[in-house]
Amino acid sequence: MARKSSPAADSAKSNNKVVATNRRARHNYSVLETFEAGVQLVGTEVKSLRDGQASLADAFATIDDGEVWLRNLHIPEYHHGSWTNHTPRRNRKLLLHRSQIDNLIGRIRDGNLTLVPLSLYFSDGKVKVELALARGKEARDKRQDIAKRDADREITRELGRRAKGMT
């Protein structure tokens, strides 16, 4: 007889532990499309990530010889490591399907687009990176986004005030 899984067990299976996010990326770039890619790591890098240590602040992705590489991702050395510790800012290969890589090559070549990592997380025990195909924003676009966000925030505040006054 087939066993039914409980909702708690289902949520535990799909639990994603976010290690690092790149908040500046959404401010500096307009995100057109996102991809999930695996990251090729060595053992001490995974242990350091499990401790929650990583920085995507300066990270970016490039395509060289048909392979996607994540550059400037900072994963500090594992504090219990020995001579086998990794280099903190080494280039790391991203694992994508060939069709996805070919699609990215064509889109980057055609337009003024770049690959930016948005977040680094664990999914089912494997390290994944959310990679965005993005276009850089100009200063006026950033100002418009800030003004829109402030206006939306003020609208929700006013609606909240009115809802409290009515009850």
Side-chain angles (χ1 to χ4, degrees):
M1 182 171 182
R3 199 169 189 204
K4 291 183 181 178
S5 62
S6 67
D10 291 339
S11 66
K13 289 179 186 174
S14 64
N15 189 10
N16 292 344
K17 178 188 173 196
V18 177
V19 178
T21 58
N22 190 353
R23 295 177 61 199
R24 196 183 325 163
R26 293 204 188 264
H27 178 71
N28 291 337
Y29 298 95
S30 58
V31 176
L32 304 176
E33 190 175 351
T34 60
F35 300 93
E36 181 181 61
V39 185
Q40 191 174 18
L41 300 172
V42 296
T44 55
E45 289 174 326
V46 176
K47 291 178 181 183
S48 189
L49 287 175
R50 287 200 190 280
D51 285 345
Q53 301 178 357
S55 174
L56 288 170
D58 300 327
F60 62 98
T62 60
I63 301 176
D64 300 326
D65 298 328
E67 294 180 340
V68 184
W69 294 89
L70 186 61
R71 303 184 188 278
N72 279 351
L73 168 65
H74 184 265
I75 301 175
E77 290 184 349
Y78 184 57
H79 61 278
H80 292 302
S82 60
W83 59 273
T84 59
N85 250 337
H86 62 278
T87 309
R89 286 200 184 267
R90 73 178 189 89
N91 298 334
R92 292 162 178 95
K93 186 176 177 179
L94 295 181
L95 308 172
L96 289 164
H97 293 283
R98 172 58 46 198
S99 60
Q100 289 176 322
I101 295 172
D102 293 340
N103 181 20
L104 288 174
I105 290 171
R107 298 207 34 204
I108 288 174
R109 190 179 306 137
D110 290 345
N112 190 12
L113 303 176
T114 186
L115 289 173
V116 180
L118 298 178
S119 64
L120 188 68
Y121 56 92
F122 282 95
S123 176
D124 297 327
K126 294 179 175 48
V127 178
K128 304 285 185 175
V129 64
E130 183 181 14
L131 199 61
L133 188 63
R135 177 174 280 121
K137 287 185 184 176
E138 295 180 8
R140 67 174 177 259
D141 297 332
K142 293 177 190 177
R143 286 193 297 268
Q144 289 172 354
D145 287 347
I146 292 171
K148 183 179 183 294
R149 186 174 60 227
D150 290 344
D152 290 343
R153 199 174 287 151
E154 188 60 35
I155 288 169
T156 55
R157 273 192 206 125
E158 187 61 31
L159 289 174
R161 286 187 202 125
R162 289 184 184 190
K164 286 181 183 177
M166 296 180 112
T167 58

